[in-house]
Amino acid sequence: MVRGTNRKQLRHTHPKTSGMPSLREQFFQHVAQTSDSPLGLEIERASGARLYTTDGREYLDFLAGIGVNLVGHAHPKVVTAVQQQAERYLHAMVYGEYILQPQVRLAARLASVTPRPLTQVYFTNSGTEANEGALKLAKKHTGRTRLIAFHNSYHGDTHGSLSVTGREVYRTPFLPLLPDVEFLPFGDCVALGRIDERAAAVITEPIQGEGGVRVPPDDWLPALRQRCTESGALLIFDEVQTGLGRTGVLFAGTHWGVAPDILVLAKALGGGMPLGAFVAAPEVMQCLSHDPPLAHVTTFGGHPVCCAAGLAALDVILEENLPARAEALGTQLRAALRELGESHGGIREVRGRGLLAGVEFDTADRTRNFVAHAFQSGLILGWTLHSDRVVRLCPPLTLSDEELHRGLEIMAQALIAGQGSGF
Ligand code: PMP
């Protein structure tokens, strides 16, 4: 997903110094590989918007662990919360049996900011697991089986989430997936007529992330909300990438005044620790505790250390009003990128909300060159899973003004350099 360097190059840049294989060699030998060109940075430490590698280089991180490090890498308050909780207890019991202070506090804090009546939180370990839970919840609550999703969506890589992910190339090798799933064009109000009384749920990202940072037309989400209410289908917002302030508001649906029936969160939720959640009204959520009891369980979901980290991160987001910062920085970032495109060419469109920005180039080569040149100059960028012509920018919301300007300087140079040379 994050390309820009050649794997053969990577394999040979750090030869072993003793009889032992180098860390890089062991990485290629023993860590399962999912990309033919991993970035392969050997991380020494990370702080704020900066990554430091073992070869002494420093990188400005505009990818932030693909949108995870909303409060920056290793935020001191998150680190302290992790340390303190680790000293008290780690795993104590399968989810939902014991009263674990960090879990309860985070659930209550979240419930104080989620749209009414979404006040009950089910914690998971990841985004895809949270979507799995949301889909099961919708099926059980409605007693229906049909699921509606959208082309170019991304909801995760487990079987259920992949079943509602709208890109054939990732689905085909794993068929058969869940039956009774229909994909509609994202942002098309007319197609919403396909949502009928057989649908248990409609799942969408309010702004598609991996689809290339696609913002829907303004009338679409309200129309979708209305159609779901009419048909009795539960509306699931997958805010794994957009949630918790990244787009300039805590939850992206708010841009259009729309609340879902089930809100799905992950990525930034754990402040850098693995944590996901689906949030719903108590009347909906209660169906997981009967017929049968334990209808959805997880051993590690809502791990106390992850919840302690998540609570600290959420406090930072709210106390420092990071959504407002995302809005202000995002507006500057997109305006500056549009200017760059006008001066140097090659950029077809700049879009997004807050600090989730997509830069669409006119060719895949230009995109690749741009990312590679930025990387050489110490700026980490990446493109989206479903498009090799869109660079996604999702830096920490704690980015300083100086870091934003430095990033823009590097991108200006990368745009000029990337026009000619092939990396
Ligand atoms: N939904 C969306 C919108 C995502 O962007 C992602 C991850 N890119 C996921 C779900 C899956 O999350 P995870 O990798 O934590 O399973």
Side-chain angles (χ1 to χ4, degrees):
M1 186 168 12
V2 186
R3 301 177 189 94
T5 324
N6 178 293
R7 181 162 169 179
K8 281 194 190 122
Q9 245 179 343
L10 281 165
R11 278 201 164 126
H12 298 294
T13 42
H14 285 250
K16 60 185 170 198
T17 48
S18 68
M20 284 287 289
S22 70
L23 200 62
R24 184 168 302 271
E25 284 167 333
Q26 288 182 318
F27 169 73
F28 282 110
Q29 277 166 19
H30 299 300
V31 178
Q33 298 291 311
T34 53
S35 161
D36 57 2
S37 51
L39 269 176
L41 294 180
E42 209 172 300
I43 305 302
E44 168 87 38
R45 66 194 165 87
S47 158
R50 313 261 172 172
L51 283 173
Y52 303 87
T53 52
T54 49
D55 58 2
R57 294 196 68 180
E58 177 183 324
Y59 292 86
L60 194 51
D61 187 3
F62 273 31
L63 197 52
I66 324 257
V68 167
N69 305 104
L70 203 87
V71 297
H73 289 280
H75 191 289
K77 289 187 178 164
V78 175
V79 172
T80 303
V82 166
Q83 286 167 337
Q84 288 178 347
Q85 181 54 40
E87 281 172 17
R88 284 189 207 112
Y89 55 91
L90 302 175
H91 176 76
M93 182 49 145
V94 63
Y95 178 81
E97 295 292 334
Y98 291 169
I99 298 172
L100 307 173
Q101 194 212 59
Q103 204 181 73
V104 179
R105 289 255 164 88
L106 177 57
R109 193 91 163 104
L110 264 180
S112 73
V113 292
T114 46
R116 303 295 88 183
L118 280 64
T119 55
Q120 272 194 2
V121 184
Y122 190 116
F123 288 112
T124 66
N125 303 286
S126 65
T128 197
E129 282 172 84
N131 280 325
E132 295 285 344
L135 294 173
K136 280 180 69 183
L137 178 61
K139 286 169 84 171
K140 191 150 190 307
H141 178 73
T142 59
R144 305 174 183 179
T145 56
R146 192 169 145 78
L147 301 170
I148 308 278
F150 295 93
H151 294 300
N152 274 321
S153 60
Y154 182 77
H155 297 295
D157 272 349
T158 52
H159 271 81
S161 300
L162 186 58
S163 299
V164 290
T165 285
R167 182 97 189 282
E168 283 313 312
V169 68
Y170 291 113
R171 297 161 47 81
T172 306
F174 305 102
L175 294 174
L177 293 168
L178 280 180
D180 217 3
V181 178
E182 181 171 349
F183 290 95
L184 304 178
F186 181 78
D188 179 341
C189 285
V190 176
L192 298 179
R194 300 282 308 163
I195 301 167
D196 60 19
E197 281 68 26
R198 291 172 302 146
V202 179
I203 181 167
T204 190
E205 302 148 86
I207 297 172
Q208 285 190 336
E210 301 305 331
V213 190
R214 305 270 166 197
V215 183
D218 280 342
D219 55 351
W220 189 68
L221 283 170
L224 174 59
R225 173 66 274 179
Q226 193 186 338
R227 190 62 209 126
C228 286
T229 305
E230 286 162 2
S231 63
L234 295 195
L235 178 58
I236 303 173
F237 276 175
D238 175 345
E239 294 232 25
V240 167
Q241 197 161 143
T242 53
L244 296 163
R246 171 148 305 282
T247 72
V249 286
L250 265 187
F251 306 109
T254 315
H255 286 300
W256 296 276
V258 174
D261 298 299
I262 309 178
L263 173 68
V264 177
L265 301 169
K267 285 196 188 279
L269 182 62
M273 296 291 280
L275 189 63
F278 55 101
V279 190
E283 301 73 55
V284 175
M285 203 65 103
Q286 53 85 23
C287 75
L288 295 182
S289 61
H290 59 84
D291 306 320
L294 305 178
H296 191 72
V297 289
T298 165
T299 297
F300 285 125
H303 191 283
V305 176
C306 302
C307 286
L311 183 59
L314 185 58
D315 281 345
V316 171
I317 292 168
L318 297 174
E319 279 161 18
E320 297 184 14
N321 198 3
L322 292 184
R325 176 126 190 101
E327 178 63 33
L329 288 188
T331 304
Q332 279 182 53
L333 176 67
R334 288 192 307 278
L337 287 166
R338 284 191 190 112
E339 262 175 44
L340 283 183
E342 276 156 26
S343 322
H344 304 296
I347 291 180
R348 200 173 267 182
E349 194 185 13
V350 178
R351 50 180 180 255
R353 282 288 176 100
L355 278 178
L356 178 61
V359 186
E360 182 166 337
F361 287 81
D362 47 13
T363 65
D365 266 356
R366 269 225 167 118
T367 320
R368 206 168 25 247
N369 288 344
F370 178 76
V371 171
H373 278 286
F375 182 66
Q376 292 300 318
S377 307
L379 177 66
I380 297 179
L381 301 173
W383 51 87
T384 61
L385 195 59
H386 297 337
S387 174
D388 58 5
R389 287 193 292 111
V390 179
V391 171
R392 167 196 18 217
L393 308 169
C394 52
L397 274 45
T398 50
L399 197 73
S400 69
D401 293 346
E402 182 269 325
E403 286 167 336
L404 176 71
H405 293 134
R406 178 70 194 128
L408 281 167
E409 257 168 39
I410 295 178
M411 285 190 273
Q413 289 155 11
L415 196 59
I416 298 163
Q419 282 168 346
S421 76
F423 247 84

